């Protein structure tokens, strides 16, 4: 893309050159509840695998979590625990920029501008908004829950992200980000990079073990269907053993006809890097499939859990790492805000 050069003397070109050679990646996670297997297989694992050959930024989006937070003193603690988990899965603070959204004030600044670049109709079509409000009937539904995708668009375009590694459920939010960025560029000239969603081959939609037609989620009715990253091995094996399967006893991969079995195959395929259809041909019965899926997940999570418990003990170091991440994030984010203000033609301060 070509950027405007009449930028009140701002250092636009330096990043423009960098973005031509290195792919910029941005993705985020909310500090609401504990991290689960769906988060890990759908998104977080991809964050780690991309960090050495791409320029990666990963945010803990506490401002997004505010859309459903009504109590004091909860978010700070869950933010720190989530930071420990992100480093425990293998994000290396020397190469990956890990930061907290509220530490980089440019997110809120650009969020407002994105709100003014998206229509009420577009926001009304977001399936996540419809799902979340349906679950909150009778509870407070914040306006932030409705305008949420505008803040998410800001998170992404602030970093000139080319790629956004997410699970399937976030594809629509990346699509609307593209629409907003294209509209902004059309109105004010080429300013924002148009991002693309990247989802994994297996694990893009990890299903609930008790309700295999719904995605695994922190807010599902029972925790028996949701594998938490910090569940102990016995609990994990038990959850797999009790997983709901389908009414007949055949094993084959077909998400529509066999949601229970296909959900298990998907998890085993993602945990062992195999193709789900081929993997299914190795099984005749549900029992061994459940057993193997459980054991593969335990083997995958055990080293992460050990590392997490080491890291969570050193809160001062976690806080320091997040400060370093925020400083790095701010350098990129503030350049984008300047570029955006300049493109719109706001009067310089
Ligand atoms: P969040 O916090 O709900 O989830 C974090 C990531 O986990 C993925 N995920 C899943 N993947 C596969 N199967 C599942 N069952 C499953 N459940 C969750 C999500 O797709 C996501 O990638 N709105 C976002 C956070 C966000 C963001 C951003 C993401 C804010 N700004 C900018 C990317 C870029 C969210 O609520 O994710």
């Amino acid at each position: 893309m070509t950027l405007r050069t009449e930028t009140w003397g701002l250092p636009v070109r330096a990043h423009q050159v960098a973005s031509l050679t290195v792919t910029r990646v941005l993705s985020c996670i909310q500090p609401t509840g504990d991290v689960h297997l769906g988060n890990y297989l759908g998104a977080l694992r991809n964050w780690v695998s991309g960090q050495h050959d791409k320029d990666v930024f990963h945010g803990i989006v506490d401002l997004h979590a505010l859309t459903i937070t009504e109590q004091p003193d909860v978010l700070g603690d869950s933010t720190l625990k989530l930071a420990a988990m992100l480093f425990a899965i293998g994000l290396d603070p020397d190469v990956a920029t890990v930061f907290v959204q509220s530490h980089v004030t440019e997110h809120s600044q650009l969020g407002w501008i994105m709100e003014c670049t998206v229509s009420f109709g577009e926001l009304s079509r977001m399936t996540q908004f419809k799902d979340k409000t349906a679950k909150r009937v009778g509870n407070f539904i914040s306006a932030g829950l409705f305008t949420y995708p505008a803040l998410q668009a800001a998170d992404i375009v602030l970093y000139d992200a080319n790629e956004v590694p997410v699970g399937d459920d976030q594809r629509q939010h990346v699509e609307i980000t593209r629409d907003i960025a294209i509209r902004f560029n059309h109105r004010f000239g080429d300013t924002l990079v148009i991002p693309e969603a990247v989802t994994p081959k297996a694990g893009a939609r990890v299903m609930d073990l008790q309700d295999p037609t719904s995605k695994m989620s922190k807010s599902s009715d029972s925790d028996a269907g949701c594998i938490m990253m910090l569940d102990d091995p016995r609990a994990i094996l038990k959850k797999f053993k009790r997983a709901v399967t389908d009414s007949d006893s055949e094993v084959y991969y077909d998400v529509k006809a066999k949601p229970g079995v296909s959900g298990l195959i998907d998890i085993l395929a993602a945990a062992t890097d195999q193709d789900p259809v081929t993997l299914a041909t190795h099984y005749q019965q549900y029992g061994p499939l459940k057993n193997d899926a459980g054991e593969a997940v335990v083997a995958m999570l055990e080293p992460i859990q050990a590392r997490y418990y080491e890291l969570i003990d050193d809160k001062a170091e976690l806080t320091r790492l997040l400060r370093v991440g925020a400083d790095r994030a701010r350098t990129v984010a503030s350049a984008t805000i300047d570029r955006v203000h300049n493109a719109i033609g706001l009067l310089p301060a």
Side-chain angles (χ1 to χ4, degrees):
M1 72 178 238
T2 47
L3 294 170
R4 284 183 168 184
T5 46
E6 68 279 21
T7 56
W8 309 101
L10 297 167
V12 169
R13 293 206 157 261
H15 173 63
Q16 189 185 358
V17 171
S19 71
L20 289 177
T21 49
V22 183
T23 301
R24 176 65 66 70
V25 173
L26 173 288
S27 197
C28 305
I29 179 168
Q30 295 195 62
T32 43
D34 292 328
V35 181
H36 58 73
L37 187 65
N39 299 131
Y40 183 61
L41 294 178
L44 305 183
R45 204 161 64 143
N46 265 358
W47 299 6
V48 176
S49 63
Q51 66 182 334
H52 290 293
D53 39 47
K54 298 175 182 176
D55 187 17
V56 307
F57 287 74
H58 293 299
I60 300 176
V61 284
D62 51 352
L63 298 178
H64 276 97
L66 264 189
T67 54
I68 54 162
T69 300
E70 294 171 14
Q71 281 174 350
D73 299 331
V74 179
L75 271 182
D77 192 43
S78 48
T79 297
L80 211 58
K81 286 182 176 157
L82 183 49
M85 181 54 77
L86 294 184
F87 294 122
I89 63 168
L91 280 178
D92 174 352
D94 287 338
V95 293
T97 300
V98 178
F99 64 94
V100 179
Q101 187 185 31
S102 65
H103 295 177
V104 184
T105 51
E106 285 81 357
H107 287 256
S108 312
Q109 275 180 279
L110 190 59
W112 174 251
I113 294 173
M114 297 292 99
E115 270 185 50
C116 298
T117 318
V118 67
S119 72
F120 185 87
E122 283 169 316
L123 292 176
S124 309
R125 287 193 286 277
M126 292 294 106
T127 49
Q128 287 239 324
F129 173 69
K130 293 184 207 161
D131 292 349
K132 285 193 176 165
T133 47
K135 279 188 186 157
R136 292 182 69 77
V137 170
N139 289 308
F140 180 78
I141 295 176
S142 70
L145 213 47
F146 183 68
T147 58
Y148 182 112
L151 184 57
Q152 180 157 349
D155 301 337
I156 297 170
V157 299
L158 257 186
Y159 297 92
D160 295 337
N162 311 102
E163 294 181 359
V164 186
V166 282
D168 223 26
D169 63 320
Q170 291 298 319
R171 274 194 171 276
Q172 198 185 30
H173 285 163
V174 180
E175 279 306 312
I176 200 174
T177 300
R178 290 171 60 88
D179 295 342
I180 296 172
I182 290 168
R183 181 172 300 128
F184 185 96
N185 287 350
H186 185 69
R187 284 183 181 167
F188 302 113
D190 252 355
T191 311
L192 304 177
V193 172
I194 313 298
E196 252 179 65
V198 178
T199 50
K201 277 201 195 92
R205 196 171 189 81
V206 176
M207 306 312 277
D208 188 291
L209 297 181
Q210 288 300 314
D211 175 11
T213 54
S214 302
K215 67 168 186 174
M216 190 175 279
S217 153
K218 299 167 196 177
S219 59
S220 61
D221 295 338
S222 102
D223 75 349
C226 187
I227 306 284
M228 297 299 175
M229 295 294 282
L230 296 175
D231 274 348
D232 74 65
R234 281 213 330 266
I236 294 175
L237 293 173
K238 195 160 148 193
K239 286 182 185 180
F240 274 99
K241 206 165 265 172
R242 293 189 176 168
V244 166
T245 38
D246 308 302
S247 49
D248 58 28
S249 58
E250 272 181 282
V251 177
Y252 60 90
Y253 187 76
D254 182 332
V255 175
K256 282 223 166 79
K258 306 274 297 175
V261 167
S262 303
L264 289 170
I265 295 171
D266 256 330
I267 292 175
L268 180 57
T272 56
D273 279 326
Q274 297 184 71
D275 169 59
V277 180
T278 318
L279 187 61
T281 62
H282 301 159
Y283 293 91
Q284 277 80 44
Q285 291 171 311
Y286 294 157
L289 173 62
K290 287 180 173 180
N291 195 52
D292 287 2
E295 281 182 359
V297 169
V298 167
M300 183 177 70
L301 297 187
E302 264 178 343
I304 296 175
Q305 295 183 350
R307 180 108 185 93
Y308 174 87
Y309 290 115
E310 271 170 36
L311 292 168
I312 198 65
D313 274 346
D314 196 348
K315 297 208 164 52
E317 176 61 2
L318 287 171
T319 308
R320 187 190 71 79
L321 291 176
L322 291 175
R323 208 173 296 132
V324 170
D327 286 346
R328 271 196 242 147
R330 223 174 282 120
T331 309
V332 179
S334 64
T336 309
I337 279 288
D338 287 344
R339 211 167 71 222
V340 164
H341 283 192
N342 179 58
I344 299 171
L346 296 178
L347 189 66

